[in-house]
């Protein structure tokens, strides 16, 4: 049986350039209506018994080519459990090698989180009497923007995920955070729910998630540069979240992302904004200090420079929301590679690690809000 390679499913992205007996030359497609590309997700059929060699030949021209150095691709035999494959990057080509024991093998930039799983996550949450689920708007292509609210307190917390659709670790983070929030036997969760109302928007860029985009929405827009004045026509996702925030207010906002190049978990906060108030700076520092205690995978030595974002920085969620509401705005970044603080030779940074980070972040939120 000859090899077959396709990506005809939610989040799929690859093009076959040339097939060989035991592999293929491949290319990653650009985002729909956008120039970014790095995310890939595809399956290989007819693979059993083969030593596969898969070469992504346009890797050197991708959005973040430095991200390939030290990177290992994700591989799965069942599209559920993921581990890291033997991966090399040289001369602009990313080469993935894997011995296939079953007929169908899946490969991805990071463990995928498709729309079906997202829908199941929302439905499970909505079935819990402690959760209020609502649709706060629609995407460019008309998909629902879901919001899940938990807690009875006066403080308003917003947890925002996957503005950049290929950063699927944010969805796994949301699973971990919500699971702990709903644990009535957890003193951190119960206290946090007492002092705050927590609003989770787990998948902002839902069109990009469906289309296999790395970064942009269906209109080719980077949503995390639109928060100062989102256009409802091209960035309705951000417009919807911001409108909901305007109704409720924001004391703390954590925007959850993944970084292609940096092998660390870190915070980029509104404290880097020249317009930040002393209380906002202090709040970011309290969050970092508490997260250092809560998670061995978190660190504060490596991250973005204070100039990150350049002239577009005021349109980033963590800064724009902090300016608009006077609260604390932060971006959490997790790696596509392995974490150097908490390495895993089998899975690298993984869904489980992302979910655990979601759990740990609740302790940091509590440290800030309980002050």
């Amino acid at each position: 049986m000859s090899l077959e390679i396709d990506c005809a499913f939610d989040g799929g992205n690859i093009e076959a350039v040339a097939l060989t007996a035991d592999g293929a030359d491949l290319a990653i497609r650009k985002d729909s209506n956008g120039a970014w590309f790095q995310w890939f997700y595809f399956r290989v059929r007819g693979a059993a018994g083969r030593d596969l060699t898969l070469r992504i030949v346009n890797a050197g021209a991708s959005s973040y080519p430095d991200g390939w150095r030290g990177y290992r691709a994700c591989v799965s035999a069942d599209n559920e459990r993921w581990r890291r494959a033997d991966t090399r990057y040289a001369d602009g080509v990313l080469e993935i090698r894997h011995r296939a024991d079953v007929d169908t093998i899946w490969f991805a930039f990071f463990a995928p989180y498709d729309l079906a799983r997202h829908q199941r996550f929302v439905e499970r949450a909505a079935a819990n009497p402690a959760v209020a689920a609502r649709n706060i708007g629609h995407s460019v292509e008309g998909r629902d923007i879901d919001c899940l609210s938990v807690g009875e307190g006066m403080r308003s917390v917003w947890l925002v995920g996957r503005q950049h659709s290929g950063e699927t670790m944010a969805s796994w983070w949301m699973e971990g955070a919500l699971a702990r929030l709903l644990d009535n036997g957890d003193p951190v969760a119960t206290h946090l729910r007492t002092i705050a109302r927590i609003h989770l928007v787990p998948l902002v860029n839902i069109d990009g998630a469906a289309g296999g985009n790395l970064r942009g929405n269906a209109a080719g827009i980077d949503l995390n540069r639109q928060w100062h004045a989102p256009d409802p026509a091209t960035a309705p996702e951000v417009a919807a979240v911001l409108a909901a925030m305007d109704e409720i207010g924001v004391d703390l906002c954590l925007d959850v992302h993944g970084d292609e190049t940096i092998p660390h978990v870190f915070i980029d906060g509104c404290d880097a904004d020249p317009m930040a108030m002393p209380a906002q700076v202090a709040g970011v520092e309290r969050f970092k200090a508490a997260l250092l205690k809560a998670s061995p995978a978190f660190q504060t030595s490596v991250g973005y420079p204070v100039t990150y974002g350049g002239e577009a920085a005021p349109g980033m969620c963590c800064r724009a929301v902090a300016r608009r509401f006077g609260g604390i705005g932060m971006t959490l970044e997790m790696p596509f590679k392995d974490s150097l603080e908490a390495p895993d030779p089998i899975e690298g940074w993984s869904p489980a690690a992302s979910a655990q980070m979601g759990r740990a972040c609740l302790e940091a939120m509590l440290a800030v809000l309980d002050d």
Side-chain angles (χ1 to χ4, degrees), residues 33 43 55 57 66 69-70 83 98 127 134 143 147 165 208 210 238 269 289 296 310 336 364 368:
N33 297 310
R43 65 187 162 200
R55 302 171 70 249
V57 297
D66 286 346
R69 303 188 189 283
R83 57 182 296 165
H98 182 71
R134 62 182 176 130
R143 294 182 174 90
C147 180
S165 52
V238 172
F336 280 90
V368 174

Side-chain angles (χ1 to χ4, degrees), residues 36-51:
W36 303 284
F37 71 95
Q38 195 114 7
W39 170 262
F40 61 87
Y41 176 28
F42 60 91
R43 65 187 162 200
V44 181
R45 289 186 277 198
R50 299 179 192 264
D51 292 310

Side-chain angles (χ1 to χ4, degrees), residues 54-226:
L54 304 164
R55 302 171 70 249
I56 298 179
V57 297
N58 65 342
S62 64
S63 299
Y64 305 97
D66 286 346
W68 302 124
R69 303 188 189 283
Y71 166 80
R72 291 179 294 153
C74 295
V75 61
S76 174
D78 59 6
N79 204 25
E80 291 288 338
R81 295 165 294 179
W82 295 83
R83 57 182 296 165
R84 299 289 174 150
D86 180 18
T87 309
R88 300 179 179 89
Y89 176 67
D91 300 323
V93 175
L94 187 77
E95 184 175 273
I96 306 166
R97 296 186 178 184
H98 182 71
R99 172 69 180 183
D101 296 322
V102 296
D103 189 68
T104 300
I105 299 289
W106 307 75
F107 295 89
F109 187 32
F110 192 81
Y113 198 104
D114 63 17
L115 299 194
R117 187 177 184 107
H118 167 73
Q119 189 60 39
R120 292 194 299 271
F121 171 65
V122 171
E123 290 172 353
R124 285 197 309 271
N128 190 309
V131 178
R134 62 182 176 130
N135 166 26
I136 58 174
H138 296 92
S139 67
V140 170
E141 295 180 340
R143 294 182 174 90
D144 291 348
I145 307 300
D146 296 298
C147 180
L148 307 171
S149 300
V150 184
E152 304 80 34
M154 296 296 293
R155 298 289 191 182
S156 295
V157 175
W158 287 85
L159 308 177
V160 179
R162 285 181 78 181
Q163 290 200 71
H164 300 146
S165 52
E167 297 167 11
T168 56
M169 57 281 292
S171 287
W172 299 108
W173 185 99
M174 290 286 173
E175 284 200 3
L178 186 60
R180 187 176 188 185
L181 271 173
L182 295 176
D183 184 353
N184 292 326
D186 189 306
V188 171
T190 53
H191 187 31
L192 188 57
R193 297 201 314 261
T194 299
I195 65 173
R197 181 78 166 163
I198 303 99
H199 309 278
L200 298 87
V201 187
L203 179 48
V204 177
N205 188 359
I206 192 166
D207 292 346
N213 289 359
L214 171 72
R215 199 169 180 88
N217 72 349
I221 299 295
D222 183 341
L223 294 177
N224 198 30
R225 299 296 185 271
Q226 310 304 314

Side-chain angles (χ1 to χ4, degrees), residues 72 84 263-265 296-298 335 337-350 353:
R72 291 179 294 153
R84 299 289 174 150
H264 303 277
V265 181
F298 181 68
K337 305 176 183 180
D338 205 354
S339 159
L340 295 186
E341 281 68 39
D344 185 329
I346 304 299
E347 296 186 16
W349 191 257
S350 65

